[in-house]
Amino acid sequence: MELREATEDDVVTIRSIAANSLNSTYTDFLTADVIDDAIEQWYGEEFADELTSDHSLVLVIEEDDEVVAFSQSDLVGQQHGTGRILWLHVDPDARGSGIGVRLLVRTRERLLDEDADQIQCLVLADNERGNEFYAEQGFEQAGQRKVDIGEETYTENVYVEQEIGDEEWATLDELETDGKTIYVNYGEATRGSKSPFYVAYESQERDTQYGWFCGNCDSLENAMDAMGRIECNVCGNRRKATRWDASYL
């Protein structure tokens, strides 16, 4: 899995993923005409401007050189103090493998890198699964707002994460490896040369560490030496030796 910022070359694919996602998840409360209006309103001719705006962040996930998911966020408030995750869309054919969780985690990290001091997530109130998703990841509903889609007005729930610097922030992702279920905690990260490494546990209780999960290539194939140096055997992502560079963590 590769995460990167979207480019103009991705616009058509992003539009297609958004359409597929909305048509597979939102048809219980949005008509086909409203979905078409939404796609045109949000991902029409002006969407390319979002990719170069200082107030916008659009990230895509590639698997096997194909874009399968994207997040759309913006930075608002005084000196961009709030990072808002407006949409997380995963192509229906790529769902079920934890991509949504990883996209949320990596988007959150990028917004923090942009100096956001609060993270908000917006989801339509009628999207039951979307609301459950953010609640499962530790976000709390803090309010509501109105959003216009075409000629209709809908209610959007606003979820917040209060103490975003809290090291106890925990988002567990279940992974299957060698016939075992491993639990990756995205709240325990250490910086790597290409992307963070995350602690992987043998159980949901997080009492026994299994190893490290590489955030750059989604691999558990890595090794740590006696100096605390971690290197991914697949993509070469590295963490420096902790004995000599404790400030690097």
Side-chain angles (χ1 to χ4, degrees), residues 15-75:
R15 183 183 176 102
S16 176
I17 290 174
N20 291 340
S21 176
L22 289 172
N23 279 297
S24 79
T25 307
Y26 292 76
T27 52
D28 288 344
F29 57 93
L30 295 181
T31 67
D33 288 342
V34 170
I35 290 176
D36 289 343
D37 287 342
I39 296 300
E40 187 59 35
Q41 177 179 328
W42 297 324
Y43 304 107
E45 294 181 0
E46 297 181 0
F47 176 69
D49 295 337
E50 296 285 323
L51 306 182
T52 57
S53 171
D54 293 336
H55 306 280
S56 178
L57 177 67
V58 181
L59 303 175
V60 299
I61 284 183
E62 282 188 339
E63 285 195 332
D64 300 324
D65 298 322
E66 180 180 355
V67 174
V68 296
F70 75 93
S71 66
Q72 182 179 1
S73 310
D74 63 10
L75 292 154

Tab-separated table of all heavy atoms in Angstrom, residues 15-75:
chain	number	residue	atom	x	y	z
A	15	ARG	N	-13.026	10.564	-8.977
A	15	ARG	CA	-14.454	10.747	-9.270
A	15	ARG	C	-15.163	9.394	-9.371
A	15	ARG	O	-16.269	9.214	-8.862
A	15	ARG	CB	-14.593	11.536	-10.580
A	15	ARG	CG	-16.029	11.861	-10.977
A	15	ARG	CD	-16.044	12.577	-12.317
A	15	ARG	NE	-17.398	12.819	-12.779
A	15	ARG	CZ	-18.025	13.976	-12.713
A	15	ARG	NH1	-17.411	15.025	-12.182
A	15	ARG	NH2	-19.255	14.111	-13.160
A	16	SER	N	-14.520	8.430	-10.019
A	16	SER	CA	-15.100	7.104	-10.180
A	16	SER	C	-15.240	6.395	-8.836
A	16	SER	O	-16.271	5.772	-8.551
A	16	SER	CB	-14.243	6.273	-11.132
A	16	SER	OG	-14.717	4.953	-11.233
A	17	ILE	N	-14.206	6.475	-7.980
A	17	ILE	CA	-14.259	5.831	-6.668
A	17	ILE	C	-15.369	6.456	-5.825
A	17	ILE	O	-16.135	5.754	-5.147
A	17	ILE	CB	-12.903	5.956	-5.948
A	17	ILE	CG1	-11.863	5.071	-6.641
A	17	ILE	CG2	-13.034	5.570	-4.471
A	17	ILE	CD1	-10.464	5.234	-6.098
A	18	ALA	N	-15.474	7.781	-5.847
A	18	ALA	CA	-16.522	8.455	-5.088
A	18	ALA	C	-17.904	8.005	-5.552
A	18	ALA	O	-18.798	7.736	-4.742
A	18	ALA	CB	-16.369	9.965	-5.215
A	19	ALA	N	-18.095	7.914	-6.863
A	19	ALA	CA	-19.387	7.483	-7.407
A	19	ALA	C	-19.701	6.052	-6.988
A	19	ALA	O	-20.825	5.741	-6.554
A	19	ALA	CB	-19.386	7.615	-8.922
A	20	ASN	N	-18.713	5.156	-7.106
A	20	ASN	CA	-18.929	3.758	-6.721
A	20	ASN	C	-19.226	3.640	-5.227
A	20	ASN	O	-20.083	2.854	-4.811
A	20	ASN	CB	-17.702	2.917	-7.068
A	20	ASN	CG	-17.508	2.762	-8.559
A	20	ASN	OD1	-18.442	2.952	-9.333
A	20	ASN	ND2	-16.294	2.423	-8.969
A	21	SER	N	-18.499	4.418	-4.423
A	21	SER	CA	-18.682	4.375	-2.981
A	21	SER	C	-20.057	4.888	-2.578
A	21	SER	O	-20.773	4.250	-1.789
A	21	SER	CB	-17.593	5.214	-2.299
A	21	SER	OG	-17.788	5.271	-0.901
A	22	LEU	N	-20.459	6.021	-3.117
A	22	LEU	CA	-21.762	6.589	-2.781
A	22	LEU	C	-22.893	5.674	-3.237
A	22	LEU	O	-23.884	5.475	-2.524
A	22	LEU	CB	-21.909	7.974	-3.407
A	22	LEU	CG	-21.041	9.086	-2.793
A	22	LEU	CD1	-21.145	10.350	-3.632
A	22	LEU	CD2	-21.458	9.382	-1.361
A	23	ASN	N	-22.749	5.110	-4.420
A	23	ASN	CA	-23.812	4.246	-4.945
A	23	ASN	C	-23.895	2.908	-4.222
A	23	ASN	O	-24.937	2.236	-4.278
A	23	ASN	CB	-23.606	4.025	-6.444
A	23	ASN	CG	-24.123	5.179	-7.278
A	23	ASN	OD1	-25.312	5.477	-7.292
A	23	ASN	ND2	-23.212	5.859	-7.982
A	24	SER	N	-22.847	2.514	-3.540
A	24	SER	CA	-22.894	1.240	-2.820
A	24	SER	C	-23.301	1.418	-1.364
A	24	SER	O	-23.764	0.469	-0.735
A	24	SER	CB	-21.536	0.536	-2.878
A	24	SER	OG	-20.628	1.069	-1.981
A	25	THR	N	-23.146	2.626	-0.819
A	25	THR	CA	-23.348	2.828	0.615
A	25	THR	C	-24.489	3.782	0.946
A	25	THR	O	-25.115	3.648	1.998
A	25	THR	CB	-22.050	3.373	1.262
A	25	THR	OG1	-20.962	2.519	0.919
A	25	THR	CG2	-22.173	3.453	2.775
A	26	TYR	N	-24.784	4.723	0.069
A	26	TYR	CA	-25.678	5.825	0.424
A	26	TYR	C	-27.064	5.741	-0.209
A	26	TYR	O	-27.886	6.627	-0.018
A	26	TYR	CB	-25.032	7.159	0.023
A	26	TYR	CG	-23.811	7.518	0.832
A	26	TYR	CD1	-22.591	6.897	0.596
A	26	TYR	CD2	-23.874	8.475	1.840
A	26	TYR	CE1	-21.463	7.221	1.334
A	26	TYR	CE2	-22.762	8.814	2.583
A	26	TYR	CZ	-21.559	8.180	2.329
A	26	TYR	OH	-20.446	8.492	3.074
A	27	THR	N	-27.334	4.690	-0.954
A	27	THR	CA	-28.610	4.638	-1.686
A	27	THR	C	-29.817	4.439	-0.773
A	27	THR	O	-30.951	4.615	-1.206
A	27	THR	CB	-28.579	3.515	-2.739
A	27	THR	OG1	-28.181	2.282	-2.115
A	27	THR	CG2	-27.601	3.851	-3.852
A	28	ASP	N	-29.578	4.086	0.500
A	28	ASP	CA	-30.708	3.948	1.428
A	28	ASP	C	-31.351	5.287	1.742
A	28	ASP	O	-32.531	5.344	2.114
A	28	ASP	CB	-30.257	3.288	2.741
A	28	ASP	CG	-29.959	1.808	2.567
A	28	ASP	OD1	-30.384	1.244	1.548
A	28	ASP	OD2	-29.309	1.230	3.451
A	29	PHE	N	-30.584	6.367	1.616
A	29	PHE	CA	-31.143	7.675	1.971
A	29	PHE	C	-30.836	8.775	0.947
A	29	PHE	O	-31.263	9.908	1.114
A	29	PHE	CB	-30.659	8.112	3.361
A	29	PHE	CG	-29.155	8.182	3.502
A	29	PHE	CD1	-28.479	9.362	3.278
A	29	PHE	CD2	-28.433	7.054	3.862
A	29	PHE	CE1	-27.110	9.433	3.424
A	29	PHE	CE2	-27.053	7.109	4.004
A	29	PHE	CZ	-26.381	8.297	3.784
A	30	LEU	N	-30.085	8.443	-0.114
A	30	LEU	CA	-29.847	9.393	-1.200
A	30	LEU	C	-30.350	8.783	-2.509
A	30	LEU	O	-30.043	7.634	-2.814
A	30	LEU	CB	-28.351	9.719	-1.336
A	30	LEU	CG	-27.648	10.441	-0.181
A	30	LEU	CD1	-26.191	10.682	-0.527
A	30	LEU	CD2	-28.340	11.747	0.168
A	31	THR	N	-31.100	9.554	-3.269
A	31	THR	CA	-31.575	9.061	-4.552
A	31	THR	C	-30.434	9.104	-5.564
A	31	THR	O	-29.410	9.759	-5.357
A	31	THR	CB	-32.738	9.906	-5.063
A	31	THR	OG1	-32.259	11.234	-5.372
A	31	THR	CG2	-33.861	9.985	-4.035
A	32	ALA	N	-30.635	8.421	-6.676
A	32	ALA	CA	-29.619	8.400	-7.730
A	32	ALA	C	-29.344	9.805	-8.246
A	32	ALA	O	-28.189	10.166	-8.530
A	32	ALA	CB	-30.074	7.488	-8.870
A	33	ASP	N	-30.392	10.627	-8.361
A	33	ASP	CA	-30.211	12.002	-8.849
A	33	ASP	C	-29.387	12.830	-7.867
A	33	ASP	O	-28.534	13.629	-8.282
A	33	ASP	CB	-31.571	12.670	-9.077
A	33	ASP	CG	-32.292	12.109	-10.295
A	33	ASP	OD1	-31.629	11.473	-11.138
A	33	ASP	OD2	-33.517	12.302	-10.387
A	34	VAL	N	-29.633	12.653	-6.567
A	34	VAL	CA	-28.877	13.398	-5.563
A	34	VAL	C	-27.407	12.973	-5.576
A	34	VAL	O	-26.499	13.811	-5.468
A	34	VAL	CB	-29.486	13.195	-4.162
A	34	VAL	CG1	-28.565	13.773	-3.079
A	34	VAL	CG2	-30.851	13.851	-4.078
A	35	ILE	N	-27.154	11.679	-5.731
A	35	ILE	CA	-25.765	11.202	-5.808
A	35	ILE	C	-25.076	11.794	-7.029
A	35	ILE	O	-23.920	12.238	-6.954
A	35	ILE	CB	-25.729	9.663	-5.833
A	35	ILE	CG1	-26.148	9.111	-4.463
A	35	ILE	CG2	-24.336	9.161	-6.211
A	35	ILE	CD1	-26.238	7.604	-4.404
A	36	ASP	N	-25.765	11.819	-8.162
A	36	ASP	CA	-25.182	12.422	-9.364
A	36	ASP	C	-24.863	13.897	-9.125
A	36	ASP	O	-23.810	14.402	-9.550
A	36	ASP	CB	-26.135	12.284	-10.551
A	36	ASP	CG	-26.244	10.850	-11.054
A	36	ASP	OD1	-25.346	10.038	-10.709
A	36	ASP	OD2	-27.211	10.540	-11.768
A	37	ASP	N	-25.776	14.604	-8.447
A	37	ASP	CA	-25.537	16.015	-8.129
A	37	ASP	C	-24.321	16.167	-7.218
A	37	ASP	O	-23.517	17.094	-7.382
A	37	ASP	CB	-26.764	16.628	-7.448
A	37	ASP	CG	-27.917	16.856	-8.401
A	37	ASP	OD1	-27.665	16.871	-9.623
A	37	ASP	OD2	-29.060	17.012	-7.925
A	38	ALA	N	-24.201	15.261	-6.248
A	38	ALA	CA	-23.082	15.327	-5.315
A	38	ALA	C	-21.749	15.130	-6.033
A	38	ALA	O	-20.779	15.849	-5.776
A	38	ALA	CB	-23.251	14.276	-4.226
A	39	ILE	N	-21.697	14.152	-6.925
A	39	ILE	CA	-20.455	13.886	-7.662
A	39	ILE	C	-20.063	15.102	-8.494
A	39	ILE	O	-18.893	15.508	-8.540
A	39	ILE	CB	-20.612	12.640	-8.555
A	39	ILE	CG1	-20.834	11.386	-7.698
A	39	ILE	CG2	-19.381	12.458	-9.445
A	39	ILE	CD1	-19.722	11.078	-6.745
A	40	GLU	N	-21.038	15.696	-9.142
A	40	GLU	CA	-20.750	16.869	-9.967
A	40	GLU	C	-20.357	18.061	-9.105
A	40	GLU	O	-19.453	18.833	-9.461
A	40	GLU	CB	-21.984	17.224	-10.816
A	40	GLU	CG	-21.730	18.318	-11.836
A	40	GLU	CD	-20.624	17.957	-12.816
A	40	GLU	OE1	-20.513	16.770	-13.175
A	40	GLU	OE2	-19.851	18.871	-13.204
A	41	GLN	N	-21.019	18.211	-7.962
A	41	GLN	CA	-20.765	19.348	-7.077
A	41	GLN	C	-19.374	19.270	-6.450
A	41	GLN	O	-18.674	20.278	-6.340
A	41	GLN	CB	-21.843	19.380	-5.984
A	41	GLN	CG	-21.675	20.466	-4.933
A	41	GLN	CD	-22.817	20.414	-3.914
A	41	GLN	OE1	-23.935	20.049	-4.234
A	41	GLN	NE2	-22.514	20.785	-2.686
A	42	TRP	N	-18.975	18.076	-6.027
A	42	TRP	CA	-17.726	17.933	-5.283
A	42	TRP	C	-16.537	17.518	-6.146
A	42	TRP	O	-15.392	17.818	-5.796
A	42	TRP	CB	-17.907	16.917	-4.162
A	42	TRP	CG	-18.914	17.330	-3.140
A	42	TRP	CD1	-19.147	18.597	-2.681
A	42	TRP	CD2	-19.839	16.483	-2.453
A	42	TRP	NE1	-20.149	18.590	-1.755
A	42	TRP	CE2	-20.599	17.305	-1.578
A	42	TRP	CE3	-20.103	15.115	-2.479
A	42	TRP	CZ2	-21.598	16.801	-0.749
A	42	TRP	CZ3	-21.091	14.608	-1.657
A	42	TRP	CH2	-21.823	15.445	-0.796
A	43	TYR	N	-16.796	16.815	-7.243
A	43	TYR	CA	-15.686	16.269	-8.024
A	43	TYR	C	-15.794	16.636	-9.502
A	43	TYR	O	-15.336	15.902	-10.369
A	43	TYR	CB	-15.621	14.740	-7.847
A	43	TYR	CG	-15.515	14.360	-6.393
A	43	TYR	CD1	-16.603	13.807	-5.720
A	43	TYR	CD2	-14.348	14.608	-5.682
A	43	TYR	CE1	-16.524	13.499	-4.377
A	43	TYR	CE2	-14.261	14.303	-4.330
A	43	TYR	CZ	-15.347	13.751	-3.681
A	43	TYR	OH	-15.261	13.460	-2.345
A	44	GLY	N	-16.387	17.788	-9.753
A	44	GLY	CA	-16.525	18.284	-11.113
A	44	GLY	C	-15.282	19.023	-11.581
A	44	GLY	O	-14.160	18.760	-11.121
A	45	GLU	N	-15.478	19.982	-12.459
A	45	GLU	CA	-14.353	20.676	-13.098
A	45	GLU	C	-13.467	21.432	-12.099
A	45	GLU	O	-12.264	21.571	-12.307
A	45	GLU	CB	-14.882	21.655	-14.148
A	45	GLU	CG	-15.564	20.972	-15.343
A	45	GLU	CD	-16.052	21.976	-16.363
A	45	GLU	OE1	-15.851	23.194	-16.130
A	45	GLU	OE2	-16.619	21.556	-17.379
A	46	GLU	N	-14.059	21.930	-11.006
A	46	GLU	CA	-13.286	22.735	-10.065
A	46	GLU	C	-12.512	21.900	-9.050
A	46	GLU	O	-11.729	22.450	-8.267
A	46	GLU	CB	-14.222	23.696	-9.331
A	46	GLU	CG	-14.907	24.703	-10.248
A	46	GLU	CD	-15.809	25.653	-9.479
A	46	GLU	OE1	-15.878	25.504	-8.236
A	46	GLU	OE2	-16.428	26.534	-10.103
A	47	PHE	N	-12.720	20.583	-9.055
A	47	PHE	CA	-12.066	19.763	-8.054
A	47	PHE	C	-10.549	19.812	-8.179
A	47	PHE	O	-9.826	19.751	-7.174
A	47	PHE	CB	-12.544	18.316	-8.145
A	47	PHE	CG	-11.839	17.387	-7.195
A	47	PHE	CD1	-12.040	17.487	-5.827
A	47	PHE	CD2	-10.955	16.418	-7.663
A	47	PHE	CE1	-11.390	16.643	-4.942
A	47	PHE	CE2	-10.308	15.569	-6.781
A	47	PHE	CZ	-10.518	15.677	-5.427
A	48	ALA	N	-10.029	19.947	-9.388
A	48	ALA	CA	-8.577	19.988	-9.579
A	48	ALA	C	-7.942	21.120	-8.790
A	48	ALA	O	-6.774	21.017	-8.366
A	48	ALA	CB	-8.243	20.112	-11.062
A	49	ASP	N	-8.700	22.199	-8.555
A	49	ASP	CA	-8.161	23.323	-7.784
A	49	ASP	C	-7.886	22.920	-6.342
A	49	ASP	O	-7.021	23.501	-5.671
A	49	ASP	CB	-9.134	24.503	-7.810
A	49	ASP	CG	-9.305	25.084	-9.211
A	49	ASP	OD1	-8.396	24.889	-10.037
A	49	ASP	OD2	-10.341	25.725	-9.461
A	50	GLU	N	-8.642	21.926	-5.836
A	50	GLU	CA	-8.435	21.463	-4.465
A	50	GLU	C	-7.040	20.871	-4.276
A	50	GLU	O	-6.477	20.904	-3.183
A	50	GLU	CB	-9.481	20.405	-4.105
A	50	GLU	CG	-10.915	20.898	-4.089
A	50	GLU	CD	-11.206	21.733	-2.869
A	50	GLU	OE1	-10.676	21.410	-1.787
A	50	GLU	OE2	-11.958	22.714	-2.993
A	51	LEU	N	-6.497	20.325	-5.343
A	51	LEU	CA	-5.221	19.627	-5.240
A	51	LEU	C	-4.045	20.572	-5.059
A	51	LEU	O	-2.971	20.153	-4.620
A	51	LEU	CB	-5.002	18.760	-6.484
A	51	LEU	CG	-6.130	17.779	-6.822
A	51	LEU	CD1	-5.757	16.962	-8.046
A	51	LEU	CD2	-6.457	16.879	-5.647
A	52	THR	N	-4.231	21.838	-5.375
A	52	THR	CA	-3.146	22.817	-5.250
A	52	THR	C	-3.420	23.853	-4.173
A	52	THR	O	-2.601	24.743	-3.955
A	52	THR	CB	-2.915	23.528	-6.598
A	52	THR	OG1	-4.140	24.153	-7.023
A	52	THR	CG2	-2.467	22.534	-7.668
A	53	SER	N	-4.545	23.748	-3.495
A	53	SER	CA	-4.904	24.726	-2.466
A	53	SER	C	-4.124	24.477	-1.182
A	53	SER	O	-3.945	23.324	-0.757
A	53	SER	CB	-6.408	24.656	-2.181
A	53	SER	OG	-6.737	25.433	-1.047
A	54	ASP	N	-3.682	25.547	-0.527
A	54	ASP	CA	-2.988	25.431	0.749
A	54	ASP	C	-3.922	24.998	1.872
A	54	ASP	O	-3.460	24.589	2.938
A	54	ASP	CB	-2.349	26.773	1.129
A	54	ASP	CG	-1.212	27.162	0.190
A	54	ASP	OD1	-0.623	26.252	-0.429
A	54	ASP	OD2	-0.925	28.365	0.084
A	55	HIS	N	-5.215	25.108	1.651
A	55	HIS	CA	-6.202	24.783	2.678
A	55	HIS	C	-6.782	23.377	2.496
A	55	HIS	O	-7.641	22.974	3.283
A	55	HIS	CB	-7.349	25.799	2.649
A	55	HIS	CG	-6.899	27.214	2.757
A	55	HIS	ND1	-6.556	27.799	3.955
A	55	HIS	CD2	-6.703	28.172	1.815
A	55	HIS	CE1	-6.193	29.053	3.752
A	55	HIS	NE2	-6.264	29.298	2.472
A	56	SER	N	-6.325	22.658	1.496
A	56	SER	CA	-6.920	21.366	1.163
A	56	SER	C	-5.858	20.269	1.156
A	56	SER	O	-4.679	20.519	0.858
A	56	SER	CB	-7.595	21.437	-0.209
A	56	SER	OG	-8.146	20.186	-0.573
A	57	LEU	N	-6.269	19.049	1.507
A	57	LEU	CA	-5.375	17.896	1.464
A	57	LEU	C	-6.149	16.713	0.912
A	57	LEU	O	-7.133	16.275	1.502
A	57	LEU	CB	-4.845	17.567	2.864
A	57	LEU	CG	-3.949	16.324	2.974
A	57	LEU	CD1	-2.639	16.539	2.231
A	57	LEU	CD2	-3.681	15.986	4.447
A	58	VAL	N	-5.727	16.211	-0.238
A	58	VAL	CA	-6.356	15.037	-0.855
A	58	VAL	C	-5.284	13.960	-0.983
A	58	VAL	O	-4.270	14.155	-1.662
A	58	VAL	CB	-6.958	15.362	-2.236
A	58	VAL	CG1	-7.630	14.119	-2.822
A	58	VAL	CG2	-7.964	16.508	-2.136
A	59	LEU	N	-5.501	12.843	-0.313
A	59	LEU	CA	-4.549	11.742	-0.311
A	59	LEU	C	-5.173	10.525	-0.986
A	59	LEU	O	-6.376	10.282	-0.858
A	59	LEU	CB	-4.159	11.366	1.122
A	59	LEU	CG	-3.568	12.478	1.986
A	59	LEU	CD1	-3.357	11.983	3.415
A	59	LEU	CD2	-2.239	12.961	1.398
A	60	VAL	N	-4.357	9.765	-1.701
A	60	VAL	CA	-4.836	8.545	-2.336
A	60	VAL	C	-4.011	7.361	-1.858
A	60	VAL	O	-2.848	7.508	-1.459
A	60	VAL	CB	-4.779	8.616	-3.879
A	60	VAL	CG1	-5.655	9.753	-4.395
A	60	VAL	CG2	-3.339	8.797	-4.373
A	61	ILE	N	-4.634	6.188	-1.883
A	61	ILE	CA	-3.937	4.937	-1.585
A	61	ILE	C	-3.866	4.122	-2.860
A	61	ILE	O	-4.876	3.923	-3.548
A	61	ILE	CB	-4.663	4.143	-0.489
A	61	ILE	CG1	-4.401	4.779	0.873
A	61	ILE	CG2	-4.220	2.689	-0.480
A	61	ILE	CD1	-5.028	4.031	2.031
A	62	GLU	N	-2.664	3.667	-3.172
A	62	GLU	CA	-2.443	2.803	-4.327
A	62	GLU	C	-2.139	1.383	-3.860
A	62	GLU	O	-1.395	1.186	-2.899
A	62	GLU	CB	-1.264	3.302	-5.162
A	62	GLU	CG	-1.574	4.480	-6.057
A	62	GLU	CD	-0.413	4.782	-6.987
A	62	GLU	OE1	0.727	4.366	-6.676
A	62	GLU	OE2	-0.629	5.428	-8.018
A	63	GLU	N	-2.699	0.428	-4.553
A	63	GLU	CA	-2.332	-0.979	-4.388
A	63	GLU	C	-2.087	-1.553	-5.767
A	63	GLU	O	-2.947	-1.454	-6.650
A	63	GLU	CB	-3.439	-1.756	-3.666
A	63	GLU	CG	-3.515	-1.475	-2.179
A	63	GLU	CD	-4.342	-2.499	-1.440
A	63	GLU	OE1	-5.250	-3.086	-2.062
A	63	GLU	OE2	-4.077	-2.743	-0.245
A	64	ASP	N	-0.899	-2.138	-5.949
A	64	ASP	CA	-0.519	-2.684	-7.257
A	64	ASP	C	-0.672	-1.619	-8.349
A	64	ASP	O	-1.211	-1.884	-9.433
A	64	ASP	CB	-1.363	-3.916	-7.593
A	64	ASP	CG	-1.184	-5.029	-6.576
A	64	ASP	OD1	-0.058	-5.189	-6.077
A	64	ASP	OD2	-2.169	-5.724	-6.277
A	65	ASP	N	-0.203	-0.394	-8.037
A	65	ASP	CA	-0.202	0.730	-8.983
A	65	ASP	C	-1.600	1.191	-9.376
A	65	ASP	O	-1.775	1.875	-10.382
A	65	ASP	CB	0.597	0.378	-10.260
A	65	ASP	CG	2.054	0.090	-9.952
A	65	ASP	OD1	2.605	0.779	-9.083
A	65	ASP	OD2	2.627	-0.812	-10.580
A	66	GLU	N	-2.597	0.851	-8.586
A	66	GLU	CA	-3.968	1.278	-8.875
A	66	GLU	C	-4.531	2.010	-7.663
A	66	GLU	O	-4.465	1.510	-6.533
A	66	GLU	CB	-4.842	0.072	-9.206
A	66	GLU	CG	-6.280	0.433	-9.523
A	66	GLU	CD	-7.130	-0.776	-9.852
A	66	GLU	OE1	-6.577	-1.890	-9.925
A	66	GLU	OE2	-8.353	-0.613	-10.035
A	67	VAL	N	-5.091	3.206	-7.883
A	67	VAL	CA	-5.707	3.965	-6.801
A	67	VAL	C	-7.008	3.289	-6.392
A	67	VAL	O	-7.884	3.047	-7.227
A	67	VAL	CB	-5.968	5.423	-7.231
A	67	VAL	CG1	-6.740	6.175	-6.136
A	67	VAL	CG2	-4.649	6.138	-7.519
A	68	VAL	N	-7.129	2.956	-5.090
A	68	VAL	CA	-8.303	2.222	-4.614
A	68	VAL	C	-9.058	2.983	-3.529
A	68	VAL	O	-10.150	2.557	-3.116
A	68	VAL	CB	-7.915	0.833	-4.083
A	68	VAL	CG1	-7.342	-0.027	-5.209
A	68	VAL	CG2	-6.928	0.936	-2.920
A	69	ALA	N	-8.508	4.087	-3.029
A	69	ALA	CA	-9.167	4.838	-1.970
A	69	ALA	C	-8.582	6.249	-1.926
A	69	ALA	O	-7.469	6.487	-2.398
A	69	ALA	CB	-8.980	4.152	-0.620
A	70	PHE	N	-9.345	7.165	-1.339
A	70	PHE	CA	-8.829	8.513	-1.146
A	70	PHE	C	-9.507	9.167	0.049
A	70	PHE	O	-10.592	8.779	0.480
A	70	PHE	CB	-9.017	9.373	-2.409
A	70	PHE	CG	-10.428	9.845	-2.650
A	70	PHE	CD1	-10.867	11.079	-2.191
A	70	PHE	CD2	-11.327	9.056	-3.356
A	70	PHE	CE1	-12.158	11.524	-2.417
A	70	PHE	CE2	-12.626	9.479	-3.596
A	70	PHE	CZ	-13.042	10.723	-3.124
A	71	SER	N	-8.823	10.161	0.612
A	71	SER	CA	-9.397	10.999	1.656
A	71	SER	C	-9.350	12.446	1.188
A	71	SER	O	-8.434	12.849	0.473
A	71	SER	CB	-8.648	10.847	2.980
A	71	SER	OG	-7.325	11.341	2.878
A	72	GLN	N	-10.343	13.208	1.609
A	72	GLN	CA	-10.426	14.624	1.263
A	72	GLN	C	-10.586	15.408	2.558
A	72	GLN	O	-11.530	15.196	3.313
A	72	GLN	CB	-11.609	14.885	0.336
A	72	GLN	CG	-11.735	16.330	-0.123
A	72	GLN	CD	-12.911	16.527	-1.063
A	72	GLN	OE1	-13.641	15.580	-1.361
A	72	GLN	NE2	-13.106	17.745	-1.526
A	73	SER	N	-9.646	16.289	2.844
A	73	SER	CA	-9.641	17.050	4.089
A	73	SER	C	-9.376	18.511	3.794
A	73	SER	O	-8.910	18.884	2.714
A	73	SER	CB	-8.553	16.525	5.045
A	73	SER	OG	-8.624	15.129	5.204
A	74	ASP	N	-9.673	19.347	4.791
A	74	ASP	CA	-9.284	20.749	4.683
A	74	ASP	C	-8.787	21.243	6.028
A	74	ASP	O	-8.969	20.599	7.065
A	74	ASP	CB	-10.418	21.627	4.130
A	74	ASP	CG	-11.647	21.670	5.018
A	74	ASP	OD1	-11.576	21.171	6.162
A	74	ASP	OD2	-12.682	22.197	4.580
A	75	LEU	N	-8.117	22.381	6.004
A	75	LEU	CA	-7.570	23.018	7.192
A	75	LEU	C	-8.265	24.355	7.356
A	75	LEU	O	-8.230	25.195	6.457
A	75	LEU	CB	-6.058	23.207	7.042
A	75	LEU	CG	-5.267	21.896	7.028
A	75	LEU	CD1	-3.957	22.066	6.271
A	75	LEU	CD2	-4.988	21.417	8.445
